[in-house]
Amino acid sequence: MTVRVRIAPSPTGNLHIGTARTAVFNWLYARHHQGTFVLRIEDTDEERSQPEYTQNILDGLSWLGMNWDEGPFFQSQRLELYRDATQKLLDQGLAYRCYCTTAELDEMRTAQKERGEAPRYDNRHRHLTAEQEAAFQSEGRQAVIRFKIEDDQAINWKDLVRGPMHWQGRDLGGDMVVARATASGEIGQPLYNLAVVVDDMDLRITHVIRGEDHIANTAKQILLYQALGGTVPEFSHTPLILNSEGKKLSKRDGVTSITDFQEMGFIAPALANYMTLLGWSPPDPTQEIFSLSDAAAQFDFERVNKAGAKFDWDKLDWINSQYLHDEEKWPSAQLTDALIPYWQATNDDFDPVADRSWLEQIAGLIQPSLVRLKDAAEMTQFLFTRELVWTDDAQKQLSQDGVEVALQGIIDQLAPSSDSELTADTAKSFINSTVKENKLKKGLVMRSLRAALTGDMHGPDLMESWLLLHQRGEDLKRLQQALKIARL
Ligand code: GLU
């Protein structure tokens, strides 16, 4: 048997982290078994589905490396299939038209609540006579199609993550709606459970891998497979992604979509690596950094947890930095390409082409301490700005005894050759002779230089920063400005 799995996002929002993680598990399972990974866009909800969300989902999956083998299939282009399946259920007496109004359904639920019962449809239109139907139609009522669910029906399956699962028909809320009502009396838009089963049968899906929030749907879907004469696939319900409080990760946690993670500066292989660990652990639990194909080689559902997976920002940051710090995986040219949009978002005073070599050197400078790409903007602001602002700490440093002499010493040596290239050796010799001639402590000179050139007391390597500022023609000017501060 060839494994065939699918990811079936609804384009009602940007690609969600939960959907992306489900895609990762499907992809890993497909690749492990040399199977087929199918992409289906579930866009039957006409009001909430938007083409830009479809595009975002396709882009996000591609960015993460979740290449699909078939699709995208669009449910909106397959309505005929769902209509035929619904007609088949009607013809077999497994489904019927229900003419209840919203007010009647509300009233039913209120009465159930008052009796302390769980709300459900009480199957009241299951046995309407032709006359009753005609009467409802002449009142102008519209009918949904309901699929019969017997209360004493047992539903069992062996979940690949959760083991044996048992449901009773009576816990599924009564006969379920499979198609919406239409004014014309025709079979209307299909509902999720019907469309999914029809598609999964049609696309010969062998394993349905999705979040555990779909467990009750699985029970309903198994009944539909049986009614439609389909082979019931294997099911695997993956744990939810939880926030630090153990609640389902949601909009309130600030980030939910893959676009959000992209904007924050997480890189695709690191995010995919982290998502793999959200619920799955490799046979060697000390192995935390791996490519998707490494993970695929080892992936199985035995190592997927039942318990919810806590989203751990520190771990994601750590994994991201492991990728970014690896010069082989991220040579400075590639890092520069990735950083340019972040620099452009905060600075408009550079030319990505003409300043390319300068930018690559900056990328190399911050690479060892970079955690998220977005951090680069702040870390390197002092290199880009033409209007440096000195922090309080830097100003305090500049007001110390000896700083004036130190800065003057450097300026005197730098000024005559300020237009020519500055090498690390020359810069060091300026520092050493300033120390020597003025009998200063080297630490004081270095700290003052950092304060003067970068406006702060912390930052990337000072000597390299100086050389980069020199290339920009900023070093002498800043030393002179800092000297004024030192003289205040
Ligand atoms: N469209 C559903 C969702 O996005 C798909 C669930 C499924 O995999 O069946 O949750």
Side-chain angles (χ1 to χ4, degrees):
M1 177 193 69
T2 309
V3 164
R4 291 177 59 85
V5 297
R6 86 306 192 267
I7 183 75
S10 305
T12 52
N14 284 340
L15 177 60
H16 189 272
I17 176 83
T19 310
R21 200 277 312 260
T22 303
V24 170
F25 281 14
N26 273 281
W27 187 95
L28 292 170
Y29 195 72
R31 296 296 171 253
H32 182 88
H33 292 281
Q34 281 94 47
T36 304
F37 178 48
V38 178
L39 171 60
R40 179 171 77 230
I41 301 293
E42 302 208 320
D43 57 349
T44 49
D45 184 338
E46 281 172 348
E47 269 163 40
R48 292 172 60 223
S49 297
Q50 299 292 340
E52 58 268 31
Y53 293 140
T54 299
Q55 196 55 49
N56 179 277
I57 290 167
L58 301 186
D59 291 347
L61 290 173
S62 306
W63 179 74
L64 284 168
M66 301 291 104
N67 57 315
W68 54 93
D69 308 305
E70 289 180 19
F73 298 99
F74 290 87
Q75 286 192 327
S76 58
Q77 294 166 9
R78 298 161 62 84
L79 296 174
E80 205 62 32
L81 280 178
Y82 316 127
R83 211 165 292 142
D84 290 351
T86 308
Q87 188 61 54
K88 193 171 154 190
L89 294 174
L90 284 168
D91 294 345
Q92 291 177 330
L94 298 173
Y96 60 91
R97 289 190 158 76
C98 164
Y99 295 85
C100 286
T101 60
T102 318
E104 284 169 348
L105 292 171
D106 286 347
E107 201 182 303
M108 186 191 311
R109 290 199 185 103
T110 314
Q112 287 163 340
K113 249 194 196 155
E114 277 168 10
R115 294 197 298 268
E117 295 167 11
R120 53 177 280 140
Y121 173 64
D122 63 6
N123 303 347
R124 61 176 62 173
H125 283 187
R126 225 194 225 203
H127 302 291
L128 294 180
T129 61
E131 290 75 36
Q132 285 171 310
E133 289 214 38
F136 282 136
Q137 283 165 8
S138 62
E139 273 178 42
R141 291 196 188 201
Q142 296 181 10
V144 298
I145 314 288
R146 286 189 185 266
F147 170 67
K148 293 179 185 171
I149 299 180
E150 303 304 339
D151 276 356
D152 55 4
Q153 170 87 54
I155 306 144
N156 302 308
W157 78 92
K158 194 165 172 292
D159 197 279
L160 294 180
V161 172
R162 312 176 74 84
M165 303 288 285
H166 309 289
W167 279 74
Q168 280 297 321
R170 70 173 52 82
D171 298 324
L172 296 176
D175 293 343
M176 74 162 151
V177 180
V178 289
R180 285 185 219 279
T182 57
S184 63
E186 302 275 291
I187 296 171
Q189 288 281 102
L191 266 85
Y192 161 76
N193 281 308
L194 178 96
V196 164
V197 171
V198 170
D199 280 336
D200 285 345
M201 279 170 58
D202 184 60
L203 297 167
R204 304 182 323 280
I205 298 303
T206 58
H207 295 73
V208 171
I209 303 163
R210 60 185 168 203
E212 66 172 48
D213 45 337
H214 285 290
I215 290 179
N217 286 328
T218 296
K220 294 176 185 171
Q221 290 176 17
I222 288 176
L223 295 177
L224 280 169
Y225 276 102
Q226 290 164 348
L228 292 168
T231 311
V232 180
E234 300 280 348
F235 288 96
S236 169
H237 290 95
T238 56
L240 296 181
I241 304 176
L242 308 176
N243 65 15
S244 54
E245 287 149 23
K247 302 224 175 79
K248 189 176 164 182
L249 195 75
S250 73
K251 281 215 168 76
R252 257 165 280 142
D253 296 293
V255 279
T256 48
S257 76
I258 293 303
T259 308
D260 296 333
F261 286 92
Q262 266 174 321
E263 281 168 6
M264 289 167 84
F266 292 104
I267 58 171
L271 187 56
N273 186 152
Y274 179 65
M275 283 196 286
T276 305
L277 292 170
L278 269 177
W280 179 72
S281 48
D284 170 5
T286 59
Q287 196 196 0
E288 294 188 296
I289 303 293
F290 38 71
S291 65
L292 281 169
S293 47
D294 280 353
Q298 309 184 66
F299 188 81
D300 65 18
F301 282 108
E302 254 142 61
R303 305 197 63 80
V304 172
N305 270 327
K306 277 190 216 134
K310 258 203 188 154
F311 198 91
D312 181 345
W313 285 101
D314 291 339
K315 183 134 182 184
L316 174 57
D317 276 340
W318 180 79
I319 291 179
N320 208 53
S321 63
Q322 293 304 300
Y323 279 83
L324 286 177
H325 297 179
D326 186 333
E327 284 170 36
E328 251 169 58
K329 284 197 183 115
W330 277 78
S332 62
Q334 190 186 343
L335 185 57
T336 307
D337 288 339
L339 290 178
I340 284 174
Y342 292 93
W343 283 324
Q344 280 172 328
T346 43
N347 300 282
D348 52 11
D349 188 13
F350 71 93
D351 179 336
V353 178
D355 296 329
R356 178 77 196 186
S357 138
W358 183 66
L359 295 171
E360 281 192 17
Q361 292 171 66
I362 298 178
L365 172 70
I366 58 169
Q367 183 161 24
S369 49
L370 198 56
V371 176
R372 302 178 186 177
L373 294 174
K374 194 177 184 182
D375 300 343
E378 209 186 305
M379 287 164 86
T380 59
Q381 179 59 21
F382 74 95
L383 291 166
F384 287 88
T385 185
R386 298 290 189 186
E387 307 284 339
L388 188 67
V389 177
W390 283 263
T391 64
D392 289 349
D393 282 352
Q395 294 194 32
K396 216 183 264 166
Q397 172 63 33
L398 294 175
S399 65
Q400 307 230 336
D401 284 349
V403 173
E404 235 183 284
V405 182
L407 295 183
Q408 189 65 61
I410 307 275
I411 290 170
D412 289 346
Q413 296 173 85
L414 179 65
S417 57
S418 70
D419 289 340
S420 43
E421 204 195 323
L422 179 67
T423 65
D425 285 344
T426 316
K428 268 184 215 150
S429 76
F430 291 169
I431 294 171
N432 290 337
S433 51
T434 302
V435 167
K436 224 168 161 189
E437 278 166 29
N438 303 292
K439 299 199 174 48
L440 293 167
K441 290 223 166 79
K442 186 157 181 192
L444 175 94
V445 177
M446 296 302 279
R447 281 194 300 279
S448 309
L449 206 50
R450 180 178 285 285
L453 289 172
T454 72
D456 205 347
M457 298 312 296
H458 309 279
D461 183 85
L462 175 60
M463 296 309 287
E464 283 182 49
S465 301
W466 183 1
L467 302 185
L468 286 163
L469 284 167
H470 185 82
Q471 290 176 36
R472 185 129 161 118
E474 273 285 316
D475 56 341
L476 183 62
K477 179 184 101 187
R478 289 188 189 182
L479 289 166
Q480 285 162 339
Q481 287 169 333
L483 187 59
K484 281 195 196 132
I485 299 175
R487 283 184 180 145
L488 283 179

